[in-house]
Amino acid sequence: MFHKKFVLICAFILTLGSCAVLKASDWPTFGHDPQRNGWSPNESKLNTKDVSQLKLLWKVNIKENKPKSLTALTAPVVANHVDTPMGVRSVVYVAGSSNDVNAIDAATGKILWSRQIAVHVLPKDAGMWLCPNNLNATPTVDSSRGLLYVISADGALYGLDLGTGKTRVGPIEFVPPFSKDWSLNLWHGILYTSISQGCGGAPSGIYSMDVRDPSRPVIRDLIVEHGYGAGIWGRGGVTIGANGRIYAATGDGAFDPAKGDYGSAVIEAAPRSLKVLDYYSPLNYRELTRYDLDIGGSSLAWFSYRNFNLVAGGGKEGVLYLLNADSLGEKDHQTPLYRHRLGNDKLQYERYGIWGGTSAWMDTEGEAWLYVPVWGPPSKKLPKFPITNGPAPHGSVMAFRTVINPATKQPTLDPAWISRDLDVPEPVAMAGGVVFALSTGENTQQTQGSAVIYHGQKTLTDQQRSENTHRAVLYALNAKTGKTLYQSGSDIESWTHFSGLAIANGRVYVVDHASNLYCFGLAAK
């Protein structure tokens, strides 16, 4: 049984180039791996039998970090076997909106080191929730070099020593100062991030830096729209397939491949040159851009099923797409393997739809599952799900099995279950047959006025966006049924915005807007 399970998992996550990843239970990047699957395949301590006994083990407040607009701490990342002045430790890392980076002992919650990174230029404009002028990208761990890579608010890249926080690489100017960049991703010595919203005057696109020789870094960019549209603002930034190719969904903007404009599309780029290799454009891309229903706010999950490589994602329109990763949109660039509306029947540009990112898991029988966070109630046009777990007016996680369509012999998605009601769910994380979902409690209203046609609305202030929030709640769900196995109740003090979960060594890590880091795990027996 172990051998069978090992082979199946290896087939699924050939993603990282080999199965060596199974030897460690790190959570080194947003969504665990470069494919943004959100699955820790080597986690053995958490399972459906024992997860009901989960409890809050510790909570630490990062006092030096002050929330800025809606942001506070980045999603956590975790590294094991780190040499620190206090000995070898498992360490949790979070960066903060005050341009600080913090390392926390995973066993005790004690802060091992904290770095305040100096900002060397000033922003041109006052910050607000769309462009907060702060550190925004979730850092990534490079265990082979013992480094934590971080992008400062002023656009500089730092490589910090995992054990001490001392600067070992940089600072190297990577992206424009005060741009809104998203989670770092690392593949074979090359770092990637994405940019959205035109903050700091930065064009939207994919940016890379080859850090294999830090004294002579090579920096490239792929501008996906030659105005300030087409932002790539999915929580995980770019996704990297097993072949090293780069995938991303873009937001509203001009679409004209002949001119290099790829608004409201899914693109595939070469890993070194960042040359666009392929793209998928929804048939209604003009309407998506006109009504601000872009698909760029959801990171893609890259996964394998049988002999197929796949990517899946969605957007504010509430439509889920499954695409062939080796031929996006097929020959006409507009043919998905699966497309269906899951939410947002009113086609509003805020509060509803698919946000953040999708996640993928393979069970011990070789079935590939896809999990989708949906804000707001399910669509009335929703396909039939055999299992529902009660009304879900505020949001839910929807689960699908990947199957082969008997008519086309191509992969498609089969609805499996809908979770209980979740108050604005984040992208999920999985381990041991358990789906961990965070109900964020965020106020998702962005403007006053019509939420259908993006014209003439009054943008809410930071203060208004921070009102009418609710404390976040962590849930553990059965990965095959969606049944609730655990919930954290009132353990989390505040709400959170655009964050994510991390799982390592039988523990689940969560952050909130009050700059707290929480560790949930099983009590020692």
Side-chain angles (χ1 to χ4, degrees), residues 96-121:
S97 50
S98 295
N99 220 45
D100 55 283
V101 186
N102 308 273
I104 297 93
D105 187 332
T108 65
K110 179 181 177 181
I111 297 177
L112 299 174
W113 56 259
S114 184
R115 271 290 307 274
Q116 188 72 39
I117 299 177
V119 175
H120 298 287
V121 296

Side-chain angles (χ1 to χ4, degrees), residues 5 22 97 113 120 137 160 183 200 211 245 260 313-314 348 363 377 418 434 467 476 521:
K5 180 179 179 181
L22 298 181
S97 50
W113 56 259
H120 298 287
L160 306 181
S183 300
V211 290
R245 292 182 178 181
Q348 297 189 8
D363 65 22
I418 303 176
V434 179
E467 296 169 352

Side-chain angles (χ1 to χ4, degrees), residues 21-79:
V21 67
L22 298 181
K23 296 179 181 178
S25 57
D26 294 356
W27 192 280
T29 191
F30 186 97
H32 179 267
D33 49 55
Q35 292 67 47
R36 303 311 195 202
N37 283 328
W39 172 39
S40 182
N42 200 39
E43 177 58 54
S44 60
K45 297 179 181 179
L46 297 170
N47 54 66
T48 55
K49 179 181 177 182
D50 298 332
V51 75
S52 62
Q53 303 303 312
L54 215 63
K55 61 180 294 186
L56 179 62
L57 299 181
W58 53 256
K59 165 187 170 183
V60 59
N61 181 252
I62 310 298
K63 296 180 181 179
E64 290 75 16
N65 188 70
K66 306 302 179 187
K68 196 171 184 179
S69 297
L70 301 183
T71 59
L73 300 175
T74 62
V77 294
V78 184

Side-chain angles (χ1 to χ4, degrees), residues 339-360:
R339 179 189 183 278
H340 211 292
R341 180 176 304 283
L342 305 186
N344 198 7
D345 287 341
K346 296 181 179 179
L347 298 181
Q348 297 189 8
Y349 60 80
E350 61 179 16
R351 309 179 80 173
Y352 302 109
I354 300 169
W355 296 65
T358 54
S359 307

Side-chain angles (χ1 to χ4, degrees), residues 2 26 31 73-74 112 120 203 215 222 305 340 403 424 427 457 471 477 483 509:
F2 174 80
D26 294 356
L73 300 175
T74 62
L112 299 174
H120 298 287
S215 64
L222 166 60
Y305 179 66
H340 211 292
V403 297
V424 190
Q457 290 86 345
R471 68 172 75 237
L477 311 174
K483 178 182 177 182
Y509 299 95

